[in-house]
Amino acid sequence: MNANEYQGSFLGRISIRRNQVVVMDAIHEQELEDIELFQKHVSDRFSELSSPSDDDAVLSISWLCKLLDVFLCCEAEFEAILLMDRDPYQLSKPPFDRLIPELLDRAVKALDICNAVTNGVESVRHCQKLAEIAISALDQKPIGDGEVKRAKRALSTLMAAINLDDKDGTNAKSTERSWSFGRRSGNKDRVAGQFRSLSWQVAKNWSAAKQIQSTIYNLVAPRGAEASGLPSPIYTMNVIMIFVMWALVAAIPCQERTGLPTHFPVPKQLNWAHSLIGLQEKIADEWKKKEKKGMAGLLDEMQRMEKSAQSLIDFTDSFQFPGDAEKLQEAAGHVAELTEICRIMEQGLTPLQMHIREVFHRIVRSRTEFLDVLEKASLPVI
Amino acid sequence: MDGCQSTIPTYEGDLHVVAAAHHIVKALGATKNLSDDLRKILIDLDAHLSMMTLNTDTKGGRGFVDVEERLKQAERKILSWEPDPRMIWDSGPREASEYLEAVDEIQTLLDGLRGLSVHENRKQKELLHRAMSVLQTAMSRLEEELIRILVQHGQQFDPKHMSSRSIQRDVVYDESFVSVEDEPAEETSSRNCSSDEIGEYIVDLVHAGVIPDIKSIAKVMFTSNYGPEFCEAFIGVRREALDQYFAILETEKLCIEDVLKLEWTSMSSKMNKWTWSMKIIVRVYLASEKRLCDQVLGDFGSVSSFCFLEISKATTLCLLNFGEAVAMGPRQPEKLLRLLDMYETLADLLRDIDTLFSEEAGSFVRLQFHELLKRLGDSSTAAFEAFRVAISSNGSLYPFPGGGVHPLNKYVMNYIGMFPEYCNTLNLLLKDQHADVADQDFEPEKGLDLSLSTSCPMACHLRSITSSLESNLHRKSQLYKNEALQHIFLMNNIHYLVQKVKGSELRLFFGDEWIRKHNGKFQQHAKNYERATWSSVISFLKDDNPGSSSFSKSTFKERCKGFSIAFEEVYKTQTSWCIPDPQLREDLRISTSLQVVLAYRTFLGRNSAHIEDKCVKHTVEHVEKLLLDLFKGPPRLSRNSRRW
């Protein structure tokens, strides 16, 4: 008898349970195979992510897009394993009555992170616009004081935006205060970047770091008999979701990242988790290095932009018309680098934003599907 | 000498002509009422003539003396403002226009210098460098002036002046359902008076008086290729203004996690607020912002829509996220109407959104709106289903005291009383949903009066809802041990159902056939009640022996006593029963009276010989009077009437 004949039929399943223990075993066997395959895919996908080519360094825009793709693939597979042809009652029993609500809670937190990061992409775009101004000024030949001043102004704003503490953006009291600017109040370096960050707020007092912390809280790897059954892919999916959200927060500026955890415990002996753990350690190291400084995040392009911008600021500081040929050439190199970064951003930021949104919608949909199943399980048996 | 003499007049002649032409062009350019095209031509011409002056200058060998002099003057003007603590545009229109003239002059000179064919001229290079430097100073200054003007003259309109249908609707059902019951029809119908009440209500977000100033700054910055700086400054200020407007709307930003934790009451008011804010933000604020962008930046191609998008994107997404959060929340039946409000508002605004974000770059925002609309639709359908489930699964452990109209019935009927207002939307959303319960009350083949309204999806679902409700009420009636009270309960409740349908627009969807049938139903219960209660009481008065005209004295005594006890028993229990509808109560009393009093009068009349004060406890009049006490309701009627 083919187990598939009973697919979707609840009554069919009951009869399976009562009479067809053999078939149940077959289903169980199939399930174990599916889980193993899922974890192999996870392992493969993350190992690909951890050995990126030159074009997409870890935490570059294109790498993040790949990461989000990996999330979408894993999620789809996970959902299939858990929900396809599943008897709803199984998911309403321990330990699933705890594991699934926990997963869904994390999903909700992930949604808020997606939103925070979507806003964060906007501030990256703002930096891109500022860099473009500097480029257009310094692309002139010959470069004069006017161009240099123009570039410097844009670059200072850019650096201020990059070094902006996450908190600054969220505490502005009033227009009057944030606009008491300009030479008339003696503050010559009024920064256009500061007010930009105002609207990135997700909610008052919301903190990306706390959000990540709370998703990590009480995440425990399944042990004993659970380690081989359905609880194990649920754990895997939890880890993937946390990792993806954590990487996004580390890479892209968003509301309140102080105290972002640099470690979440994933047992090393789990085969599928090797690459993921490696990536996590790598990103965590980067984060620790940069955490003390205010920063735009670990996004590869932003870090490169910061370096070039800083070099160009140094150049503009020491510039005297008509300028030293060697320095001019060096500056031209940085301008070229900046131009390249802006090109990548121009091409990549919108797709990245779309990707994040897609992940958002996917999480919403998947959550709904889980809730539907749980709801079915809670209906009285007739 | 001769040859020399012959060239000089030509050169001087050229110079004069060019100077004269230049003068005329400048004068023309100062005219206020010029079309944009014409103005552009004049500007081009102006630059061209400047270049000719320079060319003739250099050819004539007079060098750059004149150019340098002009540059010096303009430079002086621009630099003189640098240490000045005042803002130029605050100092008066003359200062502003003089400053702009100086910048214009620099631009003209720059164009001329760049246009020169002689490239290796040291003087030219030096002047060019100097001009660029001054221009940069001026541009920085203009950016600052721009921000100042935008901030100082930004205006926020008071949203409370915007009449909105949603505000009026709130009056109707933010209150408890009891008060909804008898709301005059005008109140609810306010909803129908058109969706574009707010209309294309466009306000000046920046004082109209300073728009020309902003435009003149835009013009000069864009001509000098400082467009990006202009945009960044403009976007920055306007974006913050929009963010601040949220505070004015008292719309606080909430994360999804918090929205999902909200209690129903605050959730409901937030949903309401959203519907209202959404309309004002899109129809008024964003439409006005769009106009502002077009006014200021319309001359510069796609810049205007780029700026608009940058200004509005984050905030718009934030509004959408609240919608997403609501749509993914638990499917409570009471959410239905609010969800429908949100759905309709969004559906209504979709066209505005598509216009506001018509460009390719805005497709992201557009897409999110469409996505949310779909989600709200799904969520509404789910809430509708939850409503139905809640009705059929609402259970009671104890019989409802007095047999009156059950709160569930009231709640449901008042709630669905709102549905006709959402008819089109519900029809759209329920089109593919099957009405669960067989629609037995509706027989289309019979109906010559079959109008569209009784066969639309909403009508089918309405009948299916009331049919679930009826089954539930039947179950609830079984909780009464007293059969007569079961009938009173059902009579009351079905009567209420019919009254609610008849007295509202629901009538159109249920149809006359349904009403007739249900009239019959409650009348049947009234009859059943009479039978269950009174036939045994009256049986005391009936002659078992149809032949004889009167009872024996002892039988009469016995019967009298029996009747009194039975009657008093009924009186004792049924005075606390309840028929809330006065008409229905009256009708039932009359028909009861007719039966009982008539039988009693006949009984006493026939046996008048045996009547003694002792055994006849009640006179006919007394019985008649006592019957009026029935169905007054439980002594302590309104304990906390339960809602679900």
Side-chain angles (χ1 to χ4, degrees), chain A residues 109 112 175 183-184 357 361, chain B residues 82 84-85 256-257 375:
Chain A
K109 290 182 204 293
D112 280 324
T175 321
R183 63 187 110 193
R184 258 116 304 269
R357 202 63 190 167
H361 287 312
Chain B
E82 283 304 286
D84 202 316
I256 293 176
E257 199 178 8
R375 194 101 62 210

Side-chain angles (χ1 to χ4, degrees), chain B residues 408-454:
Chain B
L408 171 72
N409 191 1
K410 285 190 185 171
Y411 185 90
V412 171
M413 290 316 288
N414 283 307
Y415 204 79
I416 67 173
M418 302 287 182
F419 287 6
E421 293 185 34
Y422 300 87
C423 177
N424 292 338
T425 305
L426 279 172
N427 277 335
L428 190 74
L429 294 174
L430 298 173
K431 204 171 53 199
D432 306 320
Q433 305 283 315
H434 290 290
D436 260 7
V437 183
D439 200 0
Q440 79 261 98
D441 297 322
F442 180 65
E443 292 138 32
E445 59 277 1
K446 260 195 194 171
L448 283 173
D449 63 322
L450 174 68
S451 54
L452 260 176
S453 62
T454 52

Side-chain angles (χ1 to χ4, degrees), chain A residues 108-109 111-112 115 118 122 125-126 129 133 144-147 149-150 153 174-175 178-179 181-184 190 195-196 198-199 201-204 206 211 321 353-354 357 360-361 364-365 367-368 372 375, chain B residues 81-82 84-87 129 132-133 136-137 140-141 143-144 147-148 151 225-226 228-229 232 235-237 239-240 243-244 253-257 260 306 310 313-314 317 321 324 328 331 364 368 371 375:
Chain A
V108 170
K109 290 182 204 293
L111 291 177
D112 280 324
N115 283 335
T118 308
E122 290 297 312
R125 199 187 310 256
H126 175 53
K129 294 289 164 212
I133 292 175
D145 286 339
E147 286 84 1
K149 268 194 271 174
R150 184 181 184 189
R153 194 176 150 92
S174 69
T175 321
S178 51
W179 287 108
F181 57 77
R183 63 187 110 193
R184 258 116 304 269
R190 179 192 55 78
F195 50 81
R196 260 314 182 82
L198 265 176
S199 35
Q201 222 187 39
V202 176
K204 217 168 118 195
W206 190 86
Q211 204 78 355
F321 186 71
Q353 220 167 14
M354 302 267 226
R357 202 63 190 167
F360 177 94
H361 287 312
V364 170
R365 260 202 307 278
R367 182 175 169 276
T368 312
D372 281 348
E375 195 185 290
Chain B
W81 276 102
E82 283 304 286
D84 202 316
R86 292 171 302 154
M87 298 304 285
H129 178 231
M132 280 303 283
S133 191
Q136 160 62 26
T137 310
S140 277
R141 179 60 186 246
E143 191 186 324
E144 232 174 282
I147 292 173
R148 171 64 168 243
V151 170
N225 286 324
Y226 276 71
E229 273 96 336
E232 288 306 299
I235 291 167
V237 182
R239 196 187 237 204
E240 196 189 350
D243 218 49
Q244 303 245 320
K253 290 185 177 177
L254 289 172
C255 60
I256 293 176
E257 199 178 8
L260 292 179
F306 162 77
E310 290 293 301
K313 195 175 185 179
L317 287 181
N321 276 329
E324 292 282 355
M328 77 174 83
R331 295 145 184 191
F364 178 70
Q368 300 308 315
E371 188 83 41
R375 194 101 62 210

Side-chain angles (χ1 to χ4, degrees), chain B residues 374-411:
Chain B
K374 195 179 157 294
R375 194 101 62 210
L376 284 173
D378 291 348
S379 202
S380 304
T381 324
F384 193 95
E385 195 47 43
F387 181 56
R388 192 206 315 275
V389 170
I391 293 168
S392 50
S393 65
N394 173 271
S396 317
L397 288 176
Y398 305 103
F400 184 65
V405 177
H406 196 275
L408 171 72
N409 191 1
K410 285 190 185 171
Y411 185 90

Side-chain angles (χ1 to χ4, degrees), chain A residues 213-231:
Chain A
Q213 268 164 17
S214 65
T215 55
I216 294 174
Y217 176 73
N218 79 18
L219 175 72
V220 188
R223 267 168 297 197
E226 285 185 7
S228 60
L230 273 187

